[in-house]
Amino acid sequence: MRKSLMLLFVIAAVASAFGREIRGKVVGENASPLDYVNVVLYSDSTYVTGTVTDSDGDFSISVDADVNLTVRVSFVGYETIYMPVTPSGNLGVVRLAPSAVKLGEVTVKATRQSTTMKGNALVTDIEGSPLAIAGTASDVLARIPMVVDNGGTLEVFGKGAPEIYINGRKVNDLQELAQLNSLDMKTVSVITNPGAAYAANVKSVILIRTKPPKGDGISGTIRTDNGFQHYFRTGNSIDLKYRTRGLELFANYGWWYGDNRDDRSNEMSTTTSKGTYNQAFRTVGRQSYNDMTGKIGFSYMFNDRHSIGAYYQNSCNRHHLTGFIPSKVWQNGNLLDRYNSDVNNKSTALPRHNANLYYSGSAGKFSIDFNADYLWYKNRELSLSDEFSEEGEGRTVNTMSTVRNRMFAEKLVVSHPLWRGMIQVGEEYSDTRTTNTFTADITEVPDADNRVDESNMAAFLHIAQQLGRFNIGVGLRYEHVKFDYYDMGRLRDGQSKTYDNIFPSLDVAVNVGAVRMALNYSGKTVRPGYGQLDGAVSYINRLTFETGNPYLRPTKMQTVEYMAQWRRFFAQLSYTYVKDGVYHVTEPYGADGEATIIRTANLDHRHYFQAFAGGQFNVGVWQPRVNVGVMKQWLTLPVHGEPMSMNTPGFLFQWQNVVHLPFDIWLNVDAQLMTPSWDNNMKLSNTPWYVNAKLYKGFLKNAFSVTLDVKDLFNSSQKDAVMYNDAVRIVQKNFSSGRSVMLTLQYRFNTTRDRYRGAGAGNSEKSRF
């Protein structure tokens, strides 16, 4: 590694001997830095090279030719500037003046290119595009390229749930996205292969940047969502800020109340020494939820170089599920029994403490960011199941589970300019503890008292350099993890482990004419979630049980990714080798093997490939976007003693449309279809699709807005799945309604951007809870 770094610097030094560096800083109104501004060099009218500004508005371009050059600085919503390049190459501060046609508070240009590549990130401009009136951050993300709405859960295509940051601060409660107005958003960046600065288990990142702050005084947003998804539901939030000079005080409160309907069927086929058992049961339930969260905090900017802040958040969640489960059991084709179970589950998470403290500043050319986080919460679940059997005896089953989680984490990142780029070094530490006590009043399910203590110490280095047309980044991350597992108060040496790993990353970006390209590599690991490690046996019904696996090994991944953009089109190709992935297996359970237990296990390895491409068009008042994707794995597992290929690729199709109607009304119509595909040994057995429609109208310069949102218009998004194992096959069908109709009223006054700069620490640990 040392020789490689030396070679990199030798190459850079040779290049500098024949090159010339053009640098400067781009700012907008109020002298606020502008990122992602296009900076292009011309010799006469011939394109030479170009770049975009970073998050601080800075840019640096290296050129080999010593000729007269002109620089073109352009950004949507601002006047384009042409200026000659001085002999020194230092252009100083370049100020852009606002321009473009205004529509209320929304700047819209019919021909603007809203999605561009920057390094290994896909960056979508929100300000000045129809996405600015999408509603909330959740609504915006659902329409960002590479982001997929998977049954109400936002995922990055092929990468699962991402880590999301707002102005560098980690989002730990996704309800926060519903409280961020799309009119306040500036850009969204999607990183599908994060480098050394992010924890080794982070597979994708979404970065949200908001507009620059404006004005002092009191500001706020009041929002209410009301509608139906089979049952009535409501969401209400209020966000208040007070700003004077460098001080900002903020507080927000959110309340979500309603019911969800769950209607699923399961069919299990289990092969044992006594023959084949077939079980069919249907779960029909109604879950009521009553969730509240409150947050208070402050930030203080001493000047442009130093800022501090802190917040405290507390929330509580109360869920109550009632339902019934009719079941039938056959042995070798003969009906054994019929069961009917009445289920009554209560889950309470109270309280849930979360606190953050940060410092963001600079000393000379050093930039410093420090975060400390504390998290503690308790969740208690009570379950009552009254079972009635036609052939045997009925019984009542009571279980109780109490989970406590505690985490402390801190993260320090220091950056400094280095020759033609930047060097970033940092460290991160987290200490977590999770305990789970479980009791049941039946002999088939033993009591459990498990505890996991884990500490993670990490150090990372990232060096980025611009060499001619090439932007090169090299990263290295070291992690030391100590994992201790306790069962009934005793340390289990066989299940306790220590890990020491180094994770490299490399990214190269280049412009070739009008084509932008990037190639990157990263090594990652994903440690199992605490629920996956939990060895307690959970009771579903008398024939179905579920458990985790304290012996699970971390998953290791090696990923190579290529991205390219040409005009309004982009494409991505990605290959990943996955070692020790976590998946679910099923086995016969109990003395006679009649029951089935579902548990987690490590898969030896699999190969995974994905591709994604998209383009945006403009036809008058109509702005369509088309995206297509494909996912494919290479995996063969035994099923009933015979090898079974699980390699069928899955295809994704998205068609998103924005239409500007008369009377300044905006219409969104989005459609998505996903063909059957494999994920480990689970196959999506049908072709779910949906159509979403939304109408938006703003009043009083968009201070007050009304939105009518219909999701899954044709109630067609239900996903069915089949799990294949050697001895057990499970077929699950979903009959729950996906259609929802919501009316949103929102009022904003004197709205200003959040100055809070805390990025959070221990973010990967929070996701494991």
Side-chain angles (χ1 to χ4, degrees):
M1 181 65 191
R2 182 178 179 184
K3 293 182 179 179
S4 300
L5 290 176
M6 289 296 295
L7 180 62
L8 176 64
F9 286 116
V10 170
I11 294 175
V14 173
S16 67
F18 301 94
R20 181 183 178 193
E21 183 181 10
I22 314 299
R23 63 188 183 277
K25 183 184 187 72
V26 181
V27 299
E29 66 270 39
N30 302 325
S32 57
L34 298 176
D35 52 359
Y36 305 122
V37 175
N38 292 310
V39 182
V40 180
L41 293 179
Y42 293 90
S43 176
D44 294 328
S45 59
T46 303
Y47 170 85
V48 177
T49 186
T51 187
V52 293
T53 59
D54 61 19
S55 59
D56 296 320
D58 296 322
F59 67 88
S60 176
I61 308 176
S62 297
V63 292
D64 297 333
D66 188 11
V67 296
N68 292 329
L69 297 172
T70 299
V71 63
R72 177 180 183 268
V73 184
S74 61
F75 189 61
V76 64
Y78 293 84
E79 296 284 355
T80 298
I81 288 181
Y82 293 87
M83 55 191 303
V85 177
T86 61
S88 67
N90 187 357
L91 300 180
V93 177
V94 180
R95 297 182 182 274
L96 296 185
S99 182
V101 178
K102 292 275 185 174
L103 181 62
E105 288 187 348
V106 184
T107 306
V108 177
K109 281 196 165 185
T111 59
R112 71 188 296 270
Q113 181 174 311
S114 63
T115 300
T116 57
M117 279 181 54
K118 182 185 178 184
N120 66 339
L122 201 62
V123 182
T124 300
D125 293 315
I126 310 304
E127 184 179 15
S129 80
L131 289 173
I133 46 89
T136 68
S138 298
D139 300 315
V140 170
L141 295 184
R143 307 190 74 250
I144 293 295
M146 292 295 297
V147 180
V148 178
D149 184 351
N150 188 4
T153 301
L154 295 176
E155 297 180 353
V156 173
F157 182 72
K159 302 289 186 176
E163 281 198 350
I164 301 176
Y165 293 79
I166 299 176
N167 296 328
R169 175 176 56 82
K170 173 70 166 59
V171 175
N172 296 310
D173 185 354
L174 294 182
Q175 291 290 357
E176 187 175 349
L177 298 177
Q179 295 175 287
L180 174 60
N181 195 285
S182 56
L183 287 169
D184 298 325
M185 298 174 64
K186 184 176 181 181
T187 61
V188 173
S189 303
V190 179
I191 304 174
T192 55
N193 200 14
Y198 298 95
N201 64 344
V202 177
K203 294 186 288 185
S204 61
V205 172
I206 293 178
L207 306 176
I208 299 173
R209 292 184 63 85
T210 58
K211 295 179 182 178
K214 296 179 181 179
D216 287 344
I218 298 177
S219 63
T221 301
I222 303 172
R223 179 184 177 91
T224 179
D225 302 271
N226 297 276
F228 292 86
Q229 186 173 350
H230 193 87
Y231 298 115
F232 174 78
R233 55 175 56 187
T234 182
N236 305 274
S237 62
I238 180 170
D239 186 2
L240 298 174
K241 295 186 180 72
Y242 174 74
R243 176 177 294 153
T244 176
R245 297 182 180 178
L247 176 66
E248 179 178 275
L249 304 175
F250 58 88
N252 58 56
Y253 171 78
W255 174 57
W256 298 268
Y257 177 83
D259 296 274
N260 295 317
R261 178 176 171 80
D262 184 21
D263 189 353
R264 292 173 290 114
S265 70
N266 289 273
E267 297 179 1
M268 293 187 183
S269 175
T270 305
T271 303
T272 71
S273 59
K274 293 185 178 182
T276 301
Y277 286 90
N278 291 290
Q279 177 187 177
F281 64 91
R282 186 162 182 165
T283 303
V284 181
R286 175 173 180 168
Q287 184 185 72
S288 63
Y289 61 90
N290 189 354
D291 301 338
M292 290 182 286
T293 183
K295 183 177 181 179
I296 58 173
F298 81 95
S299 65
Y300 185 76
M301 296 183 65
F302 296 94
N303 48 49
D304 291 338
R305 300 172 65 88
H306 301 282
S307 172
I308 62 171
Y311 74 74
Y312 168 75
Q313 178 175 301
N314 199 338
S315 59
C316 64
N317 308 90
R318 293 182 174 90
H319 293 188
H320 185 197
L321 172 65
T322 57
F324 60 94
I325 305 175
S327 306
K328 295 180 181 180
V329 181
W330 296 266
Q331 180 182 19
N332 298 325
N334 299 316
L335 182 64
L336 289 182
D337 202 353
R338 289 185 176 91
Y339 304 96
N340 284 287
S341 302
D342 292 329
V343 177
N344 192 329
N345 292 346
K346 292 182 179 181
S347 176
T348 304
L350 174 71
R352 188 184 182 102
H353 304 285
N354 188 5
N356 171 261
L357 171 70
Y358 84 89
Y359 165 77
S360 178
S362 59
K365 293 185 177 181
F366 286 94
S367 297
I368 304 168
D369 286 285
F370 173 78
N371 277 266
D373 274 78
Y374 178 78
L375 176 69
W376 187 96
Y377 73 88
K378 172 183 176 181
N379 185 80
R380 185 180 184 186
E381 183 172 349
L382 302 174
S383 176
L384 171 65
S385 178
D386 286 327
E387 299 181 351
F388 305 93
S389 170
E390 290 188 1
E391 302 296 331
E393 295 182 358
R395 64 177 177 177
T396 299
V397 179
N398 290 280
T399 65
M400 183 178 71
S401 174
T402 302
V403 177
R404 294 177 175 86
N405 289 298
R406 183 268 297 159
M407 184 206 72
F408 169 77
E410 57 84 18
K411 184 176 182 178
L412 175 66
V413 182
V414 179
S415 305
H416 191 278
L418 178 66
W419 190 42
R420 297 183 177 181
M422 183 75 67
I423 182 172
Q424 185 182 69
V425 296
E427 58 82 25
E428 190 170 7
Y429 171 77
S430 65
D431 181 84
T432 60
R433 169 175 293 181
T434 182
T435 62
N436 182 13
T437 56
F438 178 86
T439 59
D441 59 359
I442 57 174
T443 58
E444 297 98 313
V445 180
D447 293 345
D449 184 358
N450 303 321
R451 190 182 100 203
V452 172
D453 290 348
E454 182 173 304
S455 62
N456 184 342
M457 293 181 288
F460 60 87
L461 165 72
H462 186 265
I463 300 175
Q465 293 292 306
Q466 184 171 335
L467 306 178
R469 292 189 175 187
F470 290 89
N471 290 303
I472 301 175
V474 179
L476 200 63
R477 184 181 182 93
Y478 165 75
E479 289 189 355
H480 171 80
V481 180
K482 188 175 185 296
F483 174 88
D484 291 329
Y485 182 82
Y486 295 83
D487 183 17
M488 297 296 180
R490 295 181 57 188
L491 177 66
R492 302 297 182 181
D493 293 331
Q495 294 150 274
S496 301
K497 297 178 175 63
T498 299
Y499 304 98
D500 289 280
N501 298 107
I502 295 178
F503 304 99
S505 64
L506 172 67
D507 55 269
V508 180
V510 64
N511 291 354
V512 181
V515 179
R516 298 179 179 181
M517 295 183 290
L519 181 68
N520 57 76
Y521 159 82
S522 71
K524 295 285 184 181
T525 188
V526 177
R527 295 186 304 280
Y530 294 113
Q532 295 174 323
L533 293 165
D534 189 358
V537 177
S538 299
Y539 180 84
I540 299 176
N541 58 50
R542 66 172 64 195
L543 291 176
T544 311
F545 302 83
E546 187 174 10
T547 187
N549 182 0
Y551 294 93
L552 284 177
R553 299 182 298 275
T555 301
K556 296 182 180 180
M557 298 174 294
Q558 309 290 326
T559 300
V560 178
E561 186 176 278
Y562 169 80
M563 295 180 66
Q565 181 188 9
W566 177 71
R567 296 183 178 176
R568 298 181 179 275
F569 303 91
F570 74 94
Q572 182 234 39
L573 302 174
S574 177
Y575 164 78
T576 303
Y577 176 78
V578 184
K579 177 67 175 174
D580 292 330
V582 177
Y583 72 128
H584 287 88
V585 298
T586 55
E587 300 170 344
Y589 185 69
D592 55 6
E594 180 180 325
T596 299
I597 189 167
I598 305 170
R599 68 175 179 86
T600 52
N602 283 113
L603 184 66
D604 182 66
H605 73 279
R606 67 169 177 151
H607 303 271
Y608 181 78
F609 169 80
Q610 71 174 59
F612 196 92
Q616 178 180 324
F617 310 90
N618 297 278
V619 185
V621 298
W622 176 35
Q623 298 186 28
R625 180 191 291 274
V626 178
N627 300 318
V628 295
V630 60
M631 298 183 295
K632 177 179 172 58
Q633 68 176 14
W634 284 265
L635 179 64
T636 299
L637 292 175
V639 176
H640 298 305
E642 298 293 332
M644 180 176 179
S645 176
M646 303 177 179
N647 302 337
T648 305
F651 295 89
L652 172 74
F653 301 92
Q654 293 179 325
W655 186 26
Q656 301 170 339
N657 303 271
V658 179
V659 183
H660 190 192
L661 301 174
F663 304 105
D664 200 16
I665 298 174
W666 291 85
L667 170 67
N668 286 46
V669 180
D670 302 332
Q672 178 176 296
L673 179 146
M674 185 73 189
T675 66
S677 61
W678 287 92
D679 183 12
N680 290 319
N681 60 333
M682 181 79 73
K683 184 179 183 181
L684 188 70
S685 61
N686 63 340
T687 305
W689 60 279
Y690 67 76
V691 175
N692 297 337
K694 176 185 292 186
L695 283 171
Y696 171 92
K697 169 63 178 173
F699 303 90
L700 305 174
K701 295 184 178 180
N702 286 312
F704 176 72
S705 64
V706 180
T707 304
L708 179 63
D709 190 2
V710 181
K711 295 187 183 301
D712 194 10
L713 183 63
F714 300 100
N715 200 28
S716 54
S717 63
Q718 292 88 347
K719 293 183 294 183
D720 301 340
V722 182
M723 181 189 293
Y724 291 88
N725 289 279
D726 195 13
V728 179
R729 188 184 76 157
I730 301 177
V731 180
Q732 183 179 92
K733 295 183 178 181
N734 182 20
F735 304 100
S736 303
S737 175
R739 183 191 295 124
S740 67
V741 180
M742 300 294 291
L743 178 66
T744 300
L745 305 177
Q746 181 168 273
Y747 177 67
R748 307 163 65 241
F749 60 95
N750 193 28
T751 306
T752 55
R753 171 187 153 184
D754 190 354
R755 286 178 175 173
Y756 199 88
R757 297 184 179 182
N763 297 318
S764 61
E765 285 300 305
K766 296 171 187 174
S767 64
R768 297 175 70 204
F769 288 141

